[in-house]
Amino acid sequence: MSSTAIKDWPEDERPREKLLKKGATALSDAELLALVLRTGDAAAGRSAIDLGRELLARFDGNLRVLAQAELHELQQVKGLGLAKAASIKAAFTIGSRFQARRLETLERFTSPAQVFDFFHHELRDSRKELFLTLLLDGKNRITRKVEVSVGSLNQSIVHPREVFAPAVRESAAAVIFIHNHPSGDPAPSREDREITRRLKEAGEILGIRVLDHIIIGDGSYFSFTESGLL
């Protein structure tokens, strides 16, 4: 394929026209990136699709790896300035937030597997350890998601006082704890087990049921409830 401007290509080969005729799923990853980038690197004679292909090649041909890239890493691709890098970050962030917003239309979680299905896209690629609390009402319906901490999980960051403050303030009847392991292995550490024990005890004192603590890895999860540890 020539690297001339996309507008000079045959109409059936242009990403926008292809999307209009066949739908977004008919486009390759490089073509979808080209629509986000809008223009290529005219000085070097490269189209937006050329830039999209180079981006994918730089990040192992993997959209998940690309989604994790920081702005300065994206800008290392020749012809990709701050504006184009920002557009890419924005596109991936919109996708992530859309997944999170689905929580607002869900009545209740009925299993740890359902929690995993809901959150693994959001958490599995994070380079930092995130700890979330789901607040539930008396019928186990989710009322809100609260981000408790970001960083290495330890007892000073995930303190019962900080974890349960939103639950007490909003009169939650129960909670589900979720956190990720950036290593991809969801097996609980000794510290994970200790923190879970302390949080369960705090919940019993406050009259707030701890339904589960779910650790999300890459493609798998660990449930303290399913494992009989809660």
Side-chain angles (χ1 to χ4, degrees), residues 56-141:
L56 288 169
R58 176 69 64 91
F59 295 97
D60 301 329
N62 191 321
L63 287 175
R64 281 180 57 190
V65 178
L66 177 58
Q68 295 178 65
E70 302 294 342
L71 285 175
H72 71 274
E73 294 175 309
L74 295 172
Q75 289 178 264
Q76 290 174 7
V77 175
K78 187 176 180 181
L80 202 73
L82 178 59
K84 284 184 170 62
S87 294
I88 290 170
K89 289 298 293 183
F92 281 116
T93 302
I94 287 171
S96 176
R97 289 186 179 179
F98 172 76
Q99 177 70 14
R101 292 294 184 272
R102 289 177 53 218
L103 177 66
E104 298 172 1
T105 64
L106 187 68
E107 267 202 8
R108 57 173 60 87
F109 285 120
T110 57
S111 70
Q114 191 181 22
V115 175
F116 170 75
D117 288 341
F118 217 96
F119 286 98
H120 81 282
H121 291 292
E122 177 182 350
L123 298 181
R124 69 182 180 185
D125 295 328
S126 174
R127 297 178 181 179
K128 297 180 179 179
E129 201 155 326
L130 308 176
F131 190 95
L132 311 176
T133 300
L134 299 182
L135 308 184
L136 298 92
D137 65 15
K139 296 183 178 180
N140 289 349
R141 293 176 298 198

Side-chain angles (χ1 to χ4, degrees), residues 19-30:
L19 183 148
L20 291 173
K21 288 184 177 181
K22 301 180 180 180
T25 56
L27 273 63
S28 67
D29 292 344

Side-chain angles (χ1 to χ4, degrees), residues 38 42 46 62 90 124 128 131 138 150 163 205 210:
R38 298 185 61 187
R46 293 187 299 165
N62 191 321
R124 69 182 180 185
K128 297 180 179 179
F131 190 95
V150 178
V163 171
I205 293 170
V210 176

Side-chain angles (χ1 to χ4, degrees), residues 1-2 4-7 9 13-19 24 27-41 46-56 63 66 79-80 83-85 87-88 91-92:
M1 184 69 68
S2 169
T4 56
I6 290 177
K7 64 182 177 63
W9 292 9
E13 297 175 1
R14 302 175 201 166
R16 185 180 297 115
E17 284 73 12
K18 187 175 177 181
L19 183 148
L27 273 63
S28 67
D29 292 344
E31 289 171 329
L32 290 170
L33 286 171
L35 288 177
V36 174
L37 294 168
R38 298 185 61 187
T39 59
D41 182 5
R46 293 187 299 165
S47 70
I49 288 184
D50 292 325
L51 278 182
R53 288 171 178 156
E54 186 167 343
L55 264 171
L56 288 169
L63 287 175
L66 177 58
L80 202 73
K84 284 184 170 62
S87 294
I88 290 170
F92 281 116

